[in-house]
Every structure is written in structure tokens, then in C-alpha cells.
């Protein structure tokens, strides 16, 4: 009986870094452009109390589209593109830490868990100020004024491109000072570090388990493309309660995670901890599919030339 092959992982030292970064930025930007509306809907659902404005993901999509147009689904997107920096920081940290941990352990789950958590720590340190600004911009134009403060929406190309962003930055600074741009930083770490640390081991676990059930001829990229969304749904479900608290702390101006958590339970019960979960899974699953297929394809395209002929997928 033929022995099953493990799914081959391309390591950091196997890559042509110039190709890896140049192609990677374009892939990441395309992915963010595609999935941003789901992130905006998720944020609005998490910030609202009960069902005061939207009854669910699809209802929110229709109401935003009807009241604010397609532009309403992309509020804050120009600012959010700066998160490309955090994306590159994330993958670089992940690969370097994974390579370092390999000196002490050959267990893929351990390497992925430590590397995923470390990568998220670096990425969140970069992304939180950008995230806070873009989240406030996601609320601009909403009749219910879900955010902490109302932002004027005067017409004009300059106003639409720069004015709202400038006004958000100024108001955050006036109310909270520099620390306002790191409001909810701890909540972000407690959300995204576990999410990242859990996702990578589940991703490799699902990939390996499926590889044992299919013929050897089955493309590894297909298995990875299925494993990614499964891992994303698992990680999203486990970390969603903290994600709701994070969104309320950052957008609602709360200062205490514990008090925010208690208030959420008091006012909305355990159901409140699932707010935005559907939108999060709908966002993370296809995003992860694109990310996994794109990332694994990127690594294959960035493989050092002398290694191309020796690898079979």
C-alpha cells in the first residue's frame, strides 16, 4: 500500500524575497478591496445595541446600499489600505518565528501556534490606530449615529477624500489625546492573537486530515483552499465574544473591557456575544480562501529558481 504524502510546506528560506513582497502587496490589496464591505457591516452590527438599526447581515447590506449607495460600503477604505504595512509585517514575522522555532521543535502545530500569535502581536501594534480611524469612518453617514461623535458629511471631492478622515483624527486626539489611537489595543490583542494562534494549527490540521482521505494525485492547493475557510470558521467562532467587546471599546469610547463585557451580557445576554458572527464568518471564510490560495500560490511563484524543478505539488 502506497504511503500518504504529507502536504509540503514551503519555508522562509526557500523563497525569493523580492518576488514574495512585490506580488504579495498586490494580492493583499485586491483581497481587502473585495472583502471590505463585509468588515464594515460586521462593525456596525457589533456596535449597535440589540437590533436597533439592522436585523442581521443581509438587512444591513440592503439598508446601507439603499441609504448610502455603494460608497457607503467602502467608508474608511482609503485609510484601511495602510494596513498593507501590517500585512507584510504579519507574514514576515510568521515566517521568521516559524523558522526560529524549527530549531527547537519539528511539530507543525507548535510552530504554527507560536508563529501565528507572534505575527498577530506585531500586526496589531501597527494596525490598531488605522483600525480605529477606519472604524469611525465606517459609521459616517449612518442616520443612527452609532459612533462616539457625529462627523459632518459636506459634499465635494476634497471633503469626501480627505475631510472626514481629518475630522475623525482631530476629534479622537482632542477627546483622548495620543492614547486614543490605541484605545482597545489590549482587546485587539486578546482577540487577534488567539485567533491567529488558533487558525494556523487548525489550518495545517484540516489540510493533513483531508490529505489522508483523498488520492495522492489530488492537488495540495485544493486541500489548502478547503482547510483555510474551515479553520477560519473555527477560529472566528471561538474568538467572536472578544471581537464584539473590542469593537465596542474602540468605537463606543468604552474604557473598560470587563465593564463592556458585563454591560453586553446584562443588556443582551449570551446572544450578544454572537453579534456579527455570521458577518464575520461570511467575511473570514471567503477572505481566508482567497488568502490561502493566494498565499500558497504566492509562495510557489516566489520559490527560489534552483528549487523549482525539485518540488512536486
Amino acid at each position: 500500500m502506497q504511503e500518504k504524502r504529507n502536504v509540503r510546506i514551503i519555508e522562509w528560506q526557500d523563497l525569493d524575497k523580492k518576488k514574495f513582497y512585490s506580488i504579495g502587496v498586490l494580492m493583499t490589496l485586491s483581497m481587502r478591496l473585495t472583502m471590505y464591505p463585509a468588515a464594515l457591516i460586521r462593525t456596525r452590527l457589533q456596535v449597535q445595541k440589540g437590533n436597533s438599526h439592522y436585523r442581521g447581515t443581509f438587512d444591513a447590506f440592503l439598508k446601507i446600499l439603499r441609504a448610502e449607495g455603494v460608497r457607503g460600503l467602502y467608508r474608511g477604505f482609503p485609510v484601511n489600505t495602510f494596513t498593507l504595512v501590517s500585512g507584510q509585517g504579519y507574514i514576515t514575522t510568521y515566517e521568521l518565528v516559524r523558522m526560529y522555532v524549527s530549531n527547537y521543535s519539528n511539530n507543525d502545530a507548535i510552530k504554527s501556534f507560536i508563529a501565528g500569535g507572534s505575527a498577530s502581536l506585531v500586526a496589531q501594534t501597527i494596525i490598531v490606530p488605522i483600525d480605529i480611524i477606519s472604524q469611525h469612518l465606517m459609521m459616517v453617514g449612518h442616520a443612527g449615529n452609532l459612533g462616539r461623535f457625529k462627523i459632518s458629511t459636506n459634499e465635494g471631492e476634497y471633503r469626501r477624500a480627505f475631510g472626514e478622515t481629518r475630522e475623525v483624527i482631530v476629534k479622537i486626539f482632542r477627546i483622548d489625546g495620543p492614547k486614543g489611537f490605541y484605545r482597545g489595543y489590549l482587546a485587539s490583542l486578546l482577540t487577534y492573537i488567539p485567533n491567529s494562534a488558533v487558525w494556523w494549527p487548525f489550518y495545517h490540521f484540516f489540510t493533513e486530515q483531508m490529505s489522508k482521505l483523498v488520492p495522492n494525485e489530488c492537488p495540495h492547493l485544493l486541500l489548502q483552499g478547503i482547510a483555510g475557510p474551515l479553520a477560519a470558521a473555527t477560529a472566528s467562532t471561538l474568538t467572536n465574544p472578544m471581537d464584539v467587546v473590542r469593537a465596542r471599546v474602540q468605537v463606543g469610547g468604552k474604557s473598560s473591557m470587563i465593564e463592556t463585557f458585563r454591560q453586553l451580557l446584562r443588556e443582551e445576554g449570551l446572544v450578544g456575544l454572537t453579534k456579527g458572527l455570521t458577518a464575520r464568518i461570511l467575511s473570514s471564510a471567503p477572505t481566508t480562501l482567497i488568502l490561502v490560495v493566494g498565499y500558497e500560490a504566492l509562495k510557489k511563484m516566489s520559490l527560489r529558481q534552483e528549487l523549482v524543478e525539485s518540488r512536486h505539488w
Side-chain angles (χ1 to χ4, degrees):
M1 183 176 177
Q2 188 178 8
E3 186 180 349
K4 285 288 183 183
R5 293 178 300 170
N6 290 329
V7 175
R8 188 72 173 272
I9 298 174
I10 300 176
E11 302 290 359
W12 181 249
Q13 60 270 23
D14 301 332
L15 300 174
D16 179 333
K17 308 306 186 296
K18 189 179 293 185
K19 285 183 182 178
F20 182 73
Y21 284 117
S22 57
I23 301 173
V25 168
L26 294 176
M27 282 187 170
T28 304
L29 181 59
S30 300
M31 184 182 68
R32 290 190 185 282
L33 183 66
T34 303
M35 303 314 303
Y36 189 79
L40 181 143
I41 291 170
R42 182 192 78 203
T43 299
R44 288 197 179 186
L45 286 172
Q46 290 177 334
V47 171
Q48 73 171 0
K49 289 187 177 181
N51 295 322
S52 54
H53 301 289
Y54 308 118
R55 294 191 303 272
T57 302
F58 188 62
D59 181 59
F61 173 76
L62 291 179
K63 285 181 177 176
I64 293 170
L65 198 60
R66 189 160 50 240
E68 304 170 50
V70 175
R71 176 176 172 259
L73 295 170
Y74 282 92
R75 290 189 181 278
F77 180 73
V79 172
N80 193 261
T81 57
F82 287 101
T83 58
L84 289 173
V85 178
S86 70
Q88 299 309 304
Y90 180 93
I91 58 177
T92 301
T93 304
Y94 176 79
E95 295 292 351
L96 289 175
V97 172
R98 182 182 169 84
M99 183 175 66
Y100 176 77
V101 176
S102 296
N103 296 326
Y104 303 94
S105 174
N106 288 322
N107 186 296
D108 274 329
I110 293 175
K111 290 190 288 187
S112 299
F113 182 84
I114 297 174
S118 301
S120 188
L121 173 62
V122 171
Q124 287 306 307
T125 301
I126 300 170
I127 204 175
V128 165
I130 301 169
D131 218 15
I132 287 175
I133 296 168
S134 65
Q135 282 177 336
H136 279 291
L137 289 169
M138 286 176 180
M139 305 301 157
V140 174
H142 185 274
N145 190 25
L146 290 173
R148 295 173 65 194
F149 36 72
K150 189 171 180 60
I151 302 297
S152 58
T153 54
N154 299 332
E155 292 300 320
E157 291 300 322
Y158 175 83
R159 174 73 201 170
R160 283 199 295 268
F162 305 105
E164 293 170 358
T165 302
R166 179 180 178 277
E167 191 172 344
V168 164
I169 293 172
V170 168
K171 288 195 173 185
I172 292 173
F173 189 81
R174 282 178 181 170
I175 294 172
D176 295 326
K179 68 179 182 180
F181 296 99
Y182 274 92
R183 179 180 287 277
Y185 176 62
L186 181 58
S188 288
L189 294 183
L190 292 177
T191 300
Y192 291 112
I193 288 180
N195 189 83
S196 179
V198 166
W199 185 87
W200 285 101
F202 270 114
Y203 167 59
H204 291 303
F205 171 77
F206 286 133
T207 303
E208 286 298 330
Q209 292 306 306
M210 285 189 293
S211 73
K212 297 174 183 177
L213 302 175
V214 299
N216 285 343
E217 295 74 24
C218 182
H220 288 174
L221 193 59
L222 175 61
L223 299 179
Q224 291 162 332
I226 297 172
L230 289 176
T234 304
S236 294
T237 302
L238 292 174
T239 61
N240 195 73
M242 199 65 226
D243 194 41
V244 177
V245 173
R246 175 197 61 81
R248 294 202 170 192
V249 167
Q250 291 181 335
V251 180
K254 311 288 186 182
S255 58
S256 169
M257 289 187 301
I258 296 176
E259 181 53 39
T260 301
F261 180 75
R262 286 175 177 169
Q263 183 181 6
L264 181 64
L265 286 179
R266 189 166 57 247
E267 295 178 353
E268 303 181 47
L270 291 175
V271 176
L273 300 177
T274 67
K275 292 174 76 71
L277 178 58
T278 301
R280 194 175 181 207
I281 291 176
L282 289 175
S283 170
S284 65
T287 297
T288 306
L289 173 61
I290 297 169
L291 173 65
V292 166
V293 173
Y295 187 59
E296 296 294 348
L298 168 64
K299 290 172 78 174
K300 290 177 176 62
M301 288 187 287
S302 304
L303 198 63
R304 294 195 346 250
Q305 192 60 42
E306 64 271 21
L307 297 176
V308 173
E309 294 300 324
S310 65
R311 299 297 174 93
H312 302 282
W313 311 106

